[in-house]
């Protein structure tokens, strides 16, 4: 009897579980996972039951699952291509055991039959299942899945296993993709934290090895010996950490529980508890109540998206107190995790809402709790730095400058664009900050209270909704809270990259009123505020609307001595330097001159001239100290000048260079930038012999409509005028003074794993004309072998000279245009003659006939044999007038320490024979050394732009 009752009870319990699994609350998907972590093998064995509910109005024939762990499986996934696109080689060069993936995946229907599923060729981190019958609205279907997860190394994305044996697990399981607006969100992993999972109820049994502990942002309890954890949550995404005991600490108040391992900067436990409680309560009152019982704030999350500005300052400066640093880091990371795990927006298409809310609340927090704090903290109080705009800028003003950095480079993008379309700097910094600025702009315009209520309503509705929400829901709520027309906000500020730039025209005044004209320089029409200022105090503020063309306004003066457009920088405006007018009777200039040492941010109230000491070197001038005067602030400007006089220690005379340039940006079309420039330089090219070079230049820059595409094209037109002195008495006149018209077209597409580009070059002068093409190709193969190929061909169109001064160079260009940074350009022997610049023939061995005055065709090939050790070979033909065509070749070993910046070449065999065995071999070794800091900086900045 007891056995029958027990049997009946078990059957009833199983039935209840099955029913609850099959019909989850709110028609949500339900997923039961049993997982076992093997810490040594770095794998997770998974058994998964999925009940998929069609909560859409559509009939489904397929179902899509996100399998983002498979994005680590090979060097050809979208994630791998994103790394290559951003010049990150570590993933491609990694060992197979460092990458991850899903192995041995099987999927079956509830009747035990194998499911028909496949991975998309170009998106292997998505699994699409063909259903045996159509799934009608409201119906559900069950699957069972079994697979093994191979955990990747965390050095790629900070997700995976770490050096200390810890694991940060995110997106490691197969999850239903978001279905909205009649389609699945088929998003591949591109390292931007925007997985589009559907809201799903998860029940997970997760087993870990003894001695480790699991931390997570879900409801958790341990069972058995303590190494089996039961997790339950209803989310679109969650994370898990497995590490040694006491890595994470729990902080709890009446709102939520916070689990964090954020680096504390020596902040004590009481301070941390108070700061965390302060931030949790602030976010709760300004956004809404967090719908889950627990949230994680991990150091790994902060490192993925740090607070740019704070993280760039060296530790020894310490411009901010430790508790403030901890507070800002925690606030930023908490807001990011709070929004991403509670809002049900499309994380890729509607990412601007996440970013806008995060940065807007951060700015609001600073305004309320630290109203006087500066961007550079305590540095602003140091007497040495008080004159710098960089140090005196309010903390919240830095957001505008980071956005403007990209706008001035003509690299800004619409913040409403899909996150996957944004270049890295826009995704992580400029676009994110502009979104926050835009929220603050709208708040100032419609009223802070209206903005606050809109955010609270949207957040509340979103977290309670059982269906995916969209940006249109947010727009509708904002419009319902104001009688003002705010269509411009979405059409212009969010969905376009139209720039805003207003300036003053004529201004007149009386004792009681001010009449002024506002000019719209770009045609972009948005509201803009005007302020009246007296003694740095605001005496009036008024919003100007509908200024689509030149418009005249009259306002009460109210004792103002200055009027300023956009004084508080509410509007993300392109140029602030033309935004104010003095009302004083006597003024020398609206913007007086200000001299600044080294570097500074642009100050809209001054004409800045920056000065910095310089030191250059070449063999003939020796060490040449000097002072550089220029107006290049951190933001690009339409007009740039640069003057660098130096003292030649060898010749006891002045040398140096200068440039004057005007930049013109085109916001539309492939021709995105033009630059009109005049350069000049005066240096010595031989003992007691100097050259003067003057070059007017026009640049035309082209790019693809897809800003993430690294394909760039440049057309350069210039006229190089050269004057040389102290030539030998028998030298021809054309060698002393000459002028060469030069047209170049440069086309290239470069990333970490491949590069292809070419340059065509046309030169015309009175005595010669020549044309050439330089083609370069580089490929890093899946076995980590790399090949580089360069082809060069050039021919004279006409040549009336009798010297080799203008000839093609086989192993070293004559550089009659003085384009290259030779340290000893006239040396024929010795160390300086061994400097190598890959140009023209590109040979490394010095052969008997190094010139061609008719035509040349060469190939340079390199192939790596181990890390940065390569073998190279050069071959080609040279032809001079009245001589037979010569076949030339060489080969050797290249130590490619830093490509194009520090390389060594060791010749082995060439037309000269077996060179290693010849005398004075050390004089045959060639080297590439670049000392220009601007070129070296490009190594670290190219992945951002």
């Amino acid at each position: 009897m007891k056995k029958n009752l027990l049997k009946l009870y078990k059957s009833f319990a199983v039935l209840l579980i099955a029913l609850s699994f099959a019909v989850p609350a709110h028609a949500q998907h339900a997923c039961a996972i049993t997982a076992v972590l093997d810490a040594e093998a770095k794998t997770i064995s998974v058994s998964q039951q999925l009940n998929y509910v069609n909560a859409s109005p559509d009939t489904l024939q397929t179902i899509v699952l996100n399998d983002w762990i498979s994005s680590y499986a090979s060097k050809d996934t979208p994630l791998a291509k994103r790394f290559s696109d951003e010049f990150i080689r570590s993933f491609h060069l990694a060992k197979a055991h460092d990458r991850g993936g899903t192995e041995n995946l099987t999927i079956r229907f509830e009747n035990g039959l194998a499911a028909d599923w496949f991975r998309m060729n170009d998106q292997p981190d998505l699994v699409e299942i063909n259903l045996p019958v159509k799934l009608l609205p409201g119906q559900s279907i069950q699957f069972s899945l079994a697979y093994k997860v191979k955990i990747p190394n965390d050095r790629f994305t900070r997700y995976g296993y770490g050096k200390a044996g810890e694991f940060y697990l995110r997106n490691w399981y197969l999850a239903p993709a978001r279905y909205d607006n009649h389609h699945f969100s088929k998003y591949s992993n591109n390292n931007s934290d925007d997985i589009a999972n559907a809201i799903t109820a998860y029940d997970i049994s997760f087993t870990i090895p003894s001695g480790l502990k699991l931390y997570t942002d879900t409801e958790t309890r341990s069972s058995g010996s303590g190494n089996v954890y039961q997790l339950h949550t209803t989310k679109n995404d969650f994370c898990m950490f497995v590490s040694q005991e006491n890595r994470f600490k729990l902080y709890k108040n009446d709102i939520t529980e916070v689990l964090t391992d954020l680096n504390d900067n020596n902040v004590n436990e009481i301070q941390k508890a108070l700061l965390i409680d302060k931030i949790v309560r602030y976010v709760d009152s300004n956004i809404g109540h967090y719908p889950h019982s627990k949230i994680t704030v991990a150091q790994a999350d902060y490192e993925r998206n740090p607070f740019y500005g704070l993280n760039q300052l060296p530790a020894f400066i310490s411009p901010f107190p430790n508790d403030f640093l901890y507070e800002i880091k925690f606030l930023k990371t908490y807001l990011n995790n709070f929004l991403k795990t509670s809002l049900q927006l499309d994380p890729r298409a509607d990412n601007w809402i996440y970013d806008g809310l995060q940065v807007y609340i951060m700015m609001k927090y600073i305004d309320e709790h630290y109203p006087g704090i500066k961007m550079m903290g305590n540095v602003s109080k140091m007497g040495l730095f008080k004159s710098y705009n960089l140090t005196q800028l309010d903390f919240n003003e830095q957001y505008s400058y980071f956005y403007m950095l990209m706008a001035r480079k003509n690299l800004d993008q619409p913040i409403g664009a899909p996150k996957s379309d944004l270049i890295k700097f826009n995704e992580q910094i400029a676009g994110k900050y502009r979104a926050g600025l835009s929220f603050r702009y709208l708040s100032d315009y419609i009223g802070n209270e209206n903005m606050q209520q809109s955010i609270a309503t949207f957040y509340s509705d979103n977290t309670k909704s059982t269906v995916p929400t969209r940006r249109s829901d947010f727009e509708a709520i904002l419009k319902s809270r104001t009688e003002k027309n705010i269509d411009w906000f979405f059409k212009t500020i969010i969905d376009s990259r139209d720039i805003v730039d207003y300036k003053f025209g004529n201004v007149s005044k009386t004792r009681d009123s001010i009449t002024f004209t506002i000019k719209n320089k770009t045609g972009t029409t948005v509201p803009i505020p005007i302020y009246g200022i007296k003694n740095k105090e605001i005496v009036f503020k008024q919003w100007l609307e509908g200024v689509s063309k030149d418009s005249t306004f009259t306002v009460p003066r109210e004792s103002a001595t200055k009027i300023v457009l956009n004084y508080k920088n509410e509007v993300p405006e392109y140029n602030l330097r033309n935004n104010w007018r003095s009302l004083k009777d006597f003024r020398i200039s609206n913007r007086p001159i200000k001299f600044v040492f080294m570097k500074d941010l642009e100050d809209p109230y001054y004409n800045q001239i920056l000065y910095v000491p310089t030191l250059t070197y070449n063999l003939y001038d020796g060490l040449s100290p000097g002072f550089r005067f220029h107006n290049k602030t951190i933001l690009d400007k339409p007009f740039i000048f640069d003057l660098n006089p130096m003292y030649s220690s060898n010749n006891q005379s002045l040398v140096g260079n200068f440039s004057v340039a005007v930049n013109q940006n085109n916001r539309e079309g492939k021709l995105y930038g033009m630059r009109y420039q005049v350069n000049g330089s005066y240096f010595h090219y031989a003992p007691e012999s100097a050259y003067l070079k003057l070059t007017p230049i026009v640049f035309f820059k082209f790019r693809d409509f897809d800003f993430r595409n690294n394909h760039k094209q440049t057309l350069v037109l210039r006229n190089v005028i050269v004057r040389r002195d102290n030539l030998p008495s028998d030298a021809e006149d054309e060698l002393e003074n000459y002028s060469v018209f030069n047209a170049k077209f440069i086309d290239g597409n470069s990333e970490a794993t491949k590069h292809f580009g070419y340059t065509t070059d046309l030169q015309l002068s009175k005595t010669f004309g020549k044309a050439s093409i330089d083609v370069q190709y580089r490929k890093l193969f899946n076995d980590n072998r790399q090949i580089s190929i360069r082809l060069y061909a050039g021919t004279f169109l006409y040549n009336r000279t009798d010297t080799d001064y203008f000839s093609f160079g086989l192993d070293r260009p004559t550089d009659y245009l003085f384009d290259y940074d030779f340290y000893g350009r006239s040396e024929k022997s010795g160390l300086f003659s061994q400097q190598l610049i890959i140009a023209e023939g590109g040979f490394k061995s010095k052969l008997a006939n190094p010139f061609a005055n008719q035509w040349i065709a060469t190939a340079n090939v390199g192939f790596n044999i181990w890390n940065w050790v390569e073998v190279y070979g050069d071959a080609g033909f040279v032809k001079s007038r009245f001589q037979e065509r010569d076949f030339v070749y060489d080969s050797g070993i290249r130590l490619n320490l830093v490509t194009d910046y520090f390389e060594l070449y060791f010749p082995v065999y060439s037309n000269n024979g077996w060179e290693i065995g010849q005398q004075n071999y050390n004089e045959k070794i060639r080297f590439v050394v670049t000392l220009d800091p601007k070129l070296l900086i490009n190594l670290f900045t190219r992945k951002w732009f």
Side-chain angles (χ1 to χ4, degrees), residues 528-542:
I528 190 162
I530 184 168
Y531 290 82
I533 307 297
K534 181 179 181 181
N535 298 327
K536 297 185 178 180
E537 297 291 331
I538 298 172
V539 295
F540 71 79
K541 174 185 177 181
Q542 181 176 321

Side-chain angles (χ1 to χ4, degrees), residues 170 496 579 590 655 877:
R170 185 183 286 273
S496 82
N579 277 22
N590 273 320
V655 293
F877 295 92

